[in-house]
Amino acid sequence: MMEGRCAAESWAEFGLLGKSGTPLVKCGTGTDVFICTGGEEVYVFTAQEKTLRAVLQMPAAVRDVVVSHDEQLLFVACWSGVYCVNVQLLVPRASSLLVVGSVLLTLCRTDASWSLTLYQIQRTSQSDPCDLLASFSLPLVSPKVQSDAESRCVLVCVYPGNLMPASSPPHPLRSHYPLQPLLFRRLFGAEAALSKSPVVLCGLPDGRLSFLPLRIPGSRLRILHSLEQSVVFVGASAVMETDAGCAGCLIALGKQGRAVLIRAGRAGLEGGGGTRFTLGCVPGPVECACMDQSRVYYSTGSDLLMVDLWDGSSGTAGRQGDKEDEASRSNPAAFLTPISLNVSGVVALHQPTYSSAGEVQLLSLSVRGRLQSIRLPVRTQEDSLSKRPSSQVGRSVGDILSAIGDICERASVLKTIIRSKNQILKQLNQVMNISFLLSNRSESDLKPVRCRGSVRWSRLLQRDSLNLTCVLENLSPFILERGWTLSVTVLPLSCPLEAGGEASSVNYSFPFSGLGPEESVEVSLPVATAGDASFPVTVTCSLLFSLWRFLGQEEATAPLDLQSACFSLPLNTLTVDWLDALRLSDPPAPARSSSSPADLLQGFISSRQLRCRGGGQASRPEEYSARVRVSSELLRDALGLAPGSPRVSLLEWLLSEGCGGVKMERKGIKTDGSSSVICGSAPDNATVKLTAEEVNVEEKTKPLVTVEVQVKSSSVAAVCGLHHAVMRRIQTLLQKAGSSRVVPTADLRLALQQAEEQRGQVWEASSVGVSSGQTPPLLLRVYQQLRDGPLLIL
Amino acid sequence: MIQSASLLESWTQENNQLASGCKDGQNEPNREHNLFRQRRWSSDFHKLLRKIQGIPPHLDRAQLELSVVYNTCVCFTAQSQFDEAELLLTQTAQRLLQIAGDDPGTSDPSVLWRTALKSVTGTALHRRVLSLLCLQWGVWLAKSRLTAVQDFQEEMSLLEAQSGAVWNDCRAETKEKISNIPILVLDPRRLVDLLKICTAIVQGAERLTEGWSVLSALQAASASPAPRALIAYTHLLSGSCLAHMNRPQMALQCYRKALETDPRCVCALYQSALIYSRLENSQAEIQALRILHSMLLLPSTTEPAMAAGRLLSPSLFLCSQSLSSLLSVPSALSVLHSLALKCVIHSRVSEGVECYLDLLAALQSEDQHGVHAVVSTLPKLPRLYLEAGAALLMARRPADCMALCDEVIGSTLDLLPEKVLLEDPVARRVAGSGEVTEEAENGLVRLLWTAAAYLLQGHCYSQLKDWKQAVTHYTRCINLLVKVHYKDTGFSLQIPCADKDPEQGVDLCVLQRLKGLSLAGRGISFAQIDRLREALRDLQLSRQAHPEGVSARRWYGEVLWRLDRKQEAAACWEQTWSNPIPSLSEALPVYAQELQSGPLLDSAELHQKLQELGPT
């Protein structure tokens, strides 16, 4: 006898259990045990010698095994049929068997119903052992839902009183229970009681518990109760002193641990139908179960548990008053508290047996295919939970504490996961908001998230470069959280001929972490270097978001497929043109203030180069110029300038006003007197002079005051670029003014004539030039004429 | 070509081997074994057929192919695999048409078969196709598609007409060169004969009410060569037809002929019993029922014996609904019950008691033969117990009666409801049937059982002249009966047997009867112990509850007489002369009727008393 612990003794190994069938262990003839591991074999094992006696090979996976009362015949239910020991085919697809007297019952599922079939077992004629007696059917609840074709049903038989069949062997039969007559009458009615008929109870995988009185003419399968989960076990318990071997309580256990206790209520309390269904719960899942007089043993797969039905608060229900019963009924969770027996992996159990010393012995089959005999300690009346040995109490407290620890750990992990998922959901929400905000606007609208830019020349390692500082402003009410990337694409509009004429773009991306409303972030990137004349440059800004951000660790391992995992939202586009890139210098004073020796040196070298290059030509390089005339009135109106000196303000405006979103950072523009002049160097290092002066134009009707802006440089590219930049700005100015002025038609005609003339020249140049190779000079001349004939902008 | 010829030969040989094995194995006595072998044959034939049909149809092999199809279909039919057989037949017809180069463009079997027959007319294949058509006929018959069968009536008659010549021809041919001709497992002529009579039977059953035309068809069929069982069926159907035509004596003659043809035709016996019952010839009816019961107990009758030794059993083709309802016979227990009841009602009490005791013993026994056999028409067990008790009481065996009643009381007493509330049946019908009312009815039924058991016990005690015990038990009965309340106060209690709601009506009628009888019984008992006032009160109440109660009225008069209210007594007696105590009927349970078991008043004595009174 072991110290309050149960002992599991391993008897035999049958290998891992197959999944297709039902693991079973059943005791049969004498000391024989029939074991099915879920495969096609039935093992016959002798418990006395603890050896394997025979292996029966069946044609299909075994579902159930039953032994006839005289223990002569073994019936095995397979998918293909029910086999007797002399291999007799009965009915296919039987999933459960029961023998009542000389009747074999099979329960099988057909397409639309459960059918319970009765066979007469005749042992007189060898050729024809089984005759079909009758068949009863119960329709399926809903054929589609039930995928329980594999799960087994439970078949048990109950008798009224002590009226077990006379032919039954002395030891109690498996799956046969004598029931208290009162309970029997109440459950199955007066007819069943009068005929003293055995009643078959079927527990179906859909949770229904149905019954069939065997000996009543015209009886049919009726529903007793529904557990609403697959019925795993049906048994009866004989506890009350008055019962004298009859069970006063039926119990059914469901797969998920729901239990129902069925007892007879007190006579006269509720008139006729005094049956009491007490619902309860045990920790599931219930893999298999068995019971003795008052205790249910069941396995959850990980542990073997014992439930004492009549222990504790609700126990001895017969003696205590109705109040107690009411309480236990209204509080069903209270009534079943299992005790762990610490045996894991049990998948099939046989009915307990008792040794002479009062030990309970259970025969079990484990999930690994091991046949075990489990001996339980003797439990006396005093040996209850409160009176355990202190060492055991300590151990159990330790167990419980560690279990609590485990659960806490798991709970915290789950909490973190939930939190992070919530976080991700929130972020996704923000992302979605921003996406809608940015994608719904048309191009002309000002987007709530946009870029401003400013450019500045800087010198690094003796090289000048033009840097663009991009400021991303968030004017939306949403936060741009981590995961967003600002992507800036720099695309020159044109590029030098030697590069192949194909402009190549450069991409910069700047991940940033969090940008709240009304906040901004500043990034800086090179746009061009000195000597590079590929202006104007288009700067396209967009926001990128990568979904990999949410995937956490996988970010590192998974290949970053930008196409599928990213989405991009275009922002605005900036343009950096020649004017923006213009480096100002002091007006051409006779004495150049030497700022630094390096500058001087550079200036010297470049002048030498120029001179050398131009050495073959005239001593002084050719000057190109372009002129633009704007009416002062227009300037005044559009810029809102003081009427005094529109020239200076025009130049200032040209150089300072950001057009296309880019600003140049300059200290101040120095001009002189009446005709303001600005000198500077273009990005290709050519010197440039911008002048603005007031000119009176004599039109036919009236004199007109205009401001003329002249661009002068030795570099054609610079003149072109600057002229283009000036025109762009004035264009925006005009758009801003947006007025409808009266344009004299005569002037227009004149301008048209001029334009036609020049078009003719261009045509001439191209046609002549093809033959003579004189195209570039001719075109240049036309261009000169075009630019020198100043366009008057009213 | 050589290859093909040898293949043809080997296939023919295979078919012949299978067919001869099949023919030899048909006389196996073991049913299970036979089933197994049939399954094997059909799968073997089917395998062979698939080999043959694996190559495109050709005229050279058509003879063999059609023979194998025939054999396979016969095996399928024998195992009730009609769908498979029909599919095979349709496919074969299509292949035949492929040979002929016809394409009817439809899968309708009748069109297919007509075209196929036309395409082979005059060739050697004609009789093979006819035999396949014959199988198709069988399948239609088995599936109760009588219209299809009727559509082919013309072809069928052609079949019958030609069969003699053609099959004889075939036989001669077979004798000539035995090895080259594929053997058939079943002679098509026998199949035609079988199908003819089966068709006649099924059609007869379907059109039973049509009168003389059906009768003549059945008479014609009964003259054809066929198994005895089938001939008996034709006689049986003729009898039923005559019964429909209101000629019971002629019907009885037919039933007798059926029984003479086939002694196992129990349905003829049962039908005769029904006719006797209609003719109110109770002695003959009881006799018929008694024979029927003893025949049902013989094991051979439950098995259709005609299947033995044949490949195709006629029962395969006789599965029409109306026929099976005609052929169905109640279980032995039901027959025993009706026999017992008839005996009791027609004053053969001791026989009835024996029958009841047999019945109860059969129900209690572990041998459950017949209990589950069919849907039972037996009444509920407690009612059987009570009827048996009443019979015992009538047979003057009060002790046995009391034991039975004790059992009923024991099993029902603690299931009784506190009270039963009955609603107005009209209102109840409007409200629809709920579970509550059903439960109440169950309660009512149980209550009536228990009350009847107490009533019978009261009767027993009064038979034993233990008046005090009698009063006790009558009182118990009354106490139970007054637990039934009516919800609607305006509801008239004077509806004895409401024909509007039969179930509830019978229950209410029984309730009123039991009330009347128990009050009368108590009144009589009181009268016996000279408590005349109580007796008068009870008898008065009894008369209100059950105005038709004759003994209550007579005893009412008697008590009045004893109370020296002679004029009233005389008036009361005067009334009773006109209606004597009614004999027992089947409409109500026996125990709810006047059993004449208690103390009787001698009517001659009453007359004498009246005459004494007369002059005064």
Side-chain angles (χ1 to χ4, degrees), chain B residues 59-73:
Chain B
L59 200 57
D60 292 345
R61 290 182 303 268
Q63 178 92 357
L64 171 68
E65 183 178 332
L66 295 184
S67 307
V68 178
V69 169
Y70 178 84
N71 288 342
T72 317
C73 285

Side-chain angles (χ1 to χ4, degrees), chain A residues 238-512:
Chain A
V239 267
M240 285 173 229
E241 316 77 63
T242 54
D243 287 346
C246 299
C249 173
L250 264 183
I251 179 167
L253 267 181
K255 181 86 184 164
Q256 276 85 49
R258 189 175 292 180
V260 62
L261 293 178
I262 305 169
R263 278 177 285 159
R266 288 211 329 180
L269 187 70
E270 283 158 60
T275 332
R276 178 161 298 184
F277 289 78
T278 315
L279 291 174
C281 249
V282 292
V286 181
E287 289 284 337
C288 58
C290 66
M291 77 180 296
D292 63 7
Q293 292 290 302
S294 64
R295 278 166 291 190
V296 178
Y297 304 91
Y298 75 93
S299 167
T300 60
S302 57
D303 198 359
L304 185 66
L305 299 168
M306 178 178 78
V307 180
D308 205 329
L309 290 180
W310 309 105
D311 200 25
S313 62
S314 74
T316 57
R319 277 177 292 176
Q320 307 201 3
D322 286 328
K323 249 181 211 173
E324 185 68 53
D325 278 352
E326 291 295 329
S328 69
R329 188 164 26 160
S330 60
N331 186 13
F335 91 83
L336 296 175
T337 43
I339 298 162
S340 169
L341 297 177
N342 292 318
V343 182
S344 70
V346 173
V347 288
L349 275 172
H350 180 68
Q351 202 157 339
T353 50
Y354 298 94
S355 69
S356 52
E359 265 181 340
V360 180
Q361 187 174 8
L362 295 171
L363 209 53
S364 78
L365 187 63
S366 77
V367 73
R368 292 180 180 277
R370 181 178 295 163
L371 178 67
Q372 290 173 323
S373 146
I374 301 169
R375 274 182 297 142
L376 265 64
V378 182
R379 277 169 54 89
T380 53
Q381 204 62 35
E382 301 82 45
D383 186 20
S384 63
L385 200 66
S386 58
K387 293 187 179 172
R388 287 183 169 195
S390 61
S391 64
Q392 205 183 344
V393 169
R395 194 178 52 79
S396 70
V397 166
D399 283 353
I400 290 167
L401 282 179
S402 75
I404 290 172
D406 280 353
I407 287 168
C408 275
E409 208 169 285
R410 272 173 54 204
S412 70
V413 169
L414 287 176
K415 262 185 201 163
T416 338
I417 290 172
I418 289 170
R419 208 178 297 137
S420 75
K421 291 214 166 136
N422 274 338
Q423 194 65 31
I424 286 175
L425 280 179
K426 267 186 209 160
Q427 287 176 358
L428 269 179
N429 187 31
Q430 294 275 8
V431 170
M432 290 316 291
N433 282 333
I434 288 164
S435 304
F436 280 124
L437 205 64
L438 292 183
S439 56
N440 276 346
R441 313 243 165 175
S442 62
E443 196 59 43
S444 58
D445 285 341
L446 271 182
K447 293 191 174 177
V449 179
R450 61 171 178 260
C451 277
R452 276 188 294 111
S454 60
V455 287
R456 186 174 35 187
W457 284 98
S458 63
R459 158 163 291 207
L460 199 65
L461 295 174
Q462 301 295 319
R463 271 179 75 84
D464 288 334
S465 62
L466 185 65
N467 280 346
L468 173 70
T469 306
C470 235
V471 182
L472 177 68
E473 289 175 321
N474 180 12
L475 302 177
S476 71
F478 307 110
I479 308 173
L480 288 169
E481 284 183 84
R482 252 171 57 93
W484 286 101
T485 306
L486 174 65
S487 166
V488 182
T489 307
V490 178
L491 176 70
L493 213 61
S494 66
C495 71
L497 271 174
E498 50 264 31
E502 187 74 22
S504 60
S505 63
V506 188
N507 224 322
Y508 302 91
S509 38
F510 306 95
F512 54 93

